[in-house]
Amino acid sequence: MDVLITYDVNTQTREGRRRLRKIATACQNYGQRVQLSVFECTINQMQLETLEAKLLGIMDVEQDSLRIYVLKTGREKALKVYGLDHYVDFQDPLIL
Amino acid sequence: MDVLITYDVNTQTREGRRRLRKIATACQNYGQRVQLSVFECTINQMQLETLEAKLLGIMDVEQDSLRIYVLKTGREKALKVYGLDHYVDFQDPLIL
């Protein structure tokens, strides 16, 4: 299942900057950073629930915003990209 | 059709900051800003194509990143939100 995670963290405080780093690190373990605050993850339901719990444990719901979109038809059908694209498709054949 | 637009613009130059403002303004005309660089739009195919053309006319494909996700099953089924949520559902009854 392809999942998109976007977040805004209030970084006006040192604590906020720490939350931002921890949220990015948590997402990094499950997917790819495609934009500054946007991750694409190909994960199963259990991994999604685990990641959600981790992110909820990090964020401050009074100051931060977290949006999780499940791309039910898959990222290929859903997505159009223009300009810089940092996504690496590990399904593609690796040509050495 | 529910569409998600996410972007990263290189704002190290004045020109970049101008592009950022213009991209946000263009998106504002078609949807709602739900996070700093994330917009949700409920639009038809023609509007999507018009908006895409506008955004492509503004961005610098060498420096900026634009991702457009069509949420084929609709935002309600796709999305989970935690923390701050700036989205206003205009379909909801307005209680005065």
Side-chain angles (χ1 to χ4, degrees):
Chain A
M1 153 173 80
D2 289 331
V3 173
L4 185 68
I5 296 178
T6 72
Y7 54 82
D8 266 358
V9 175
N10 182 331
T11 53
Q12 287 167 330
T13 63
R14 200 165 61 164
E15 172 47 28
R17 289 186 290 277
R18 202 170 68 88
R19 289 197 309 272
L20 181 66
R21 283 193 303 271
K22 288 183 78 176
I23 283 176
T25 305
C27 291
Q28 205 90 46
N29 292 332
Y30 288 85
Q32 293 189 46
R33 183 177 227 160
V34 292
Q35 286 177 348
L36 208 56
S37 305
V38 179
F39 278 81
E40 286 182 14
C41 308
T42 302
I43 49 180
N44 60 39
Q45 185 60 34
M46 209 178 73
Q47 289 169 316
L48 174 57
E49 286 163 16
T50 308
L51 178 55
E52 261 179 72
K54 273 185 190 167
L55 297 177
L56 278 173
I58 298 167
M59 71 183 288
D60 177 337
V61 291
E62 301 297 325
Q63 298 188 62
D64 308 333
S65 164
L66 173 68
R67 300 176 87 83
I68 298 175
Y69 301 85
V70 177
L71 304 174
K72 307 239 179 198
T73 55
R75 67 181 293 281
E76 301 282 337
K77 282 187 189 147
L79 173 61
K80 275 192 191 174
V81 186
Y82 297 101
L84 301 180
D85 182 10
H86 304 300
Y87 186 83
V88 176
D89 192 341
F90 293 108
Q91 312 303 332
D92 271 0
L94 186 64
I95 298 155
L96 299 178
Chain B
M1 158 173 73
D2 288 332
V3 174
L4 184 69
I5 296 178
T6 73
Y7 54 81
D8 268 359
V9 174
N10 183 331
T11 54
Q12 287 166 334
T13 62
R14 200 164 60 162
E15 171 49 27
R17 289 187 289 277
R18 204 169 69 85
R19 289 197 310 272
L20 182 65
R21 284 192 303 272
K22 289 182 78 176
I23 284 176
T25 306
C27 290
Q28 205 91 44
N29 293 331
Y30 288 86
Q32 293 190 45
R33 183 177 229 160
V34 293
Q35 286 175 348
L36 210 56
S37 307
V38 178
F39 278 80
E40 286 182 14
C41 309
T42 302
I43 49 181
N44 61 39
Q45 186 59 35
M46 211 179 69
Q47 290 169 315
L48 173 57
E49 284 162 19
T50 308
L51 178 55
E52 261 179 76
K54 273 185 189 167
L55 297 176
L56 278 173
I58 299 167
M59 71 183 289
D60 177 336
V61 290
E62 301 295 327
Q63 299 188 61
D64 308 332
S65 164
L66 173 68
R67 301 178 87 84
I68 298 175
Y69 300 86
V70 177
L71 303 175
K72 307 240 177 194
T73 55
R75 70 181 291 280
E76 301 281 338
K77 283 189 187 146
L79 172 62
K80 276 193 190 172
V81 186
Y82 298 100
L84 301 178
D85 183 11
H86 304 300
Y87 186 82
V88 176
D89 191 340
F90 293 109
Q91 312 303 330
D92 272 359
L94 187 65
I95 301 155
L96 298 178

